[in-house]
Amino acid sequence: QLQLVESGGGLVQPGGSLRLSCAASGFTLDAYAIGWFRQAPGKEREGVSCISRGSSVTYYADSVKGRFTISRDNAKNTVYLQMNSLKPEDTADYYCAAGTTWNVPTMCRLNINTDYWGQGTQVTVSS
């Protein structure tokens, strides 16, 4: 019954914004670091942004730094990814993952210690 559910994806014009949500069911997110990952057709999965269980540590890939913001509301059992100034290169399937680790940058860069995954949500940025 443990699962993560992503929502908020869709079509958007370049320069537009989307907010993705990752909601947990069957367990509480406050014990886990959370990461957002994405995979475009023909490309490897990459870590986009990750956040520690208490929000004290965040990590952003260089390609999204300054445009994306990760946050969490443990009371709502939900993690968010606010995406601004979207580019066509951001087009991908976006997944959230939860893991029991204190090393947030490593989790995001190397995609390790990720124990639970959502089903993904599609983001398409196109004019």
Side-chain angles (χ1 to χ4, degrees):
Q1 295 283 56
L2 303 179
Q3 66 176 7
L4 298 169
V5 179
E6 302 95 334
S7 62
L11 290 167
V12 66
Q13 296 282 337
S17 298
L18 287 173
R19 188 181 75 162
L20 305 184
S21 297
C22 175
S25 177
F27 68 105
T28 55
L29 282 183
D30 59 4
Y32 297 87
I34 305 296
W36 285 98
F37 300 81
R38 68 186 181 186
Q39 186 167 21
K43 297 184 178 180
E44 296 182 349
R45 182 171 55 186
E46 64 173 335
V48 177
S49 183
C50 296
I51 188 168
S52 63
R53 56 186 293 182
S55 302
S56 61
V57 179
T58 58
Y59 171 87
Y60 297 93
D62 289 341
S63 60
V64 307
K65 194 174 299 182
R67 299 187 297 119
F68 291 10
T69 302
I70 191 170
S71 63
R72 65 191 300 163
D73 188 339
N74 288 338
K76 296 182 178 179
N77 223 22
T78 302
V79 176
Y80 305 97
L81 184 67
Q82 179 66 48
M83 305 186 295
N84 299 326
S85 302
L86 283 163
K87 304 175 180 180
E89 304 90 273
D90 297 317
T91 297
D93 291 326
Y94 284 71
Y95 302 85
C96 66
T100 53
T101 180
W102 58 88
N103 196 328
V104 170
T106 297
M107 174 184 177
C108 229
R109 288 195 301 266
L110 302 181
N111 186 25
I112 60 175
N113 300 120
T114 48
D115 303 316
Y116 303 97
W117 289 86
Q119 82 282 6
T121 185
Q122 174 69 48
V123 172
T124 301
V125 184
S126 177
S127 59

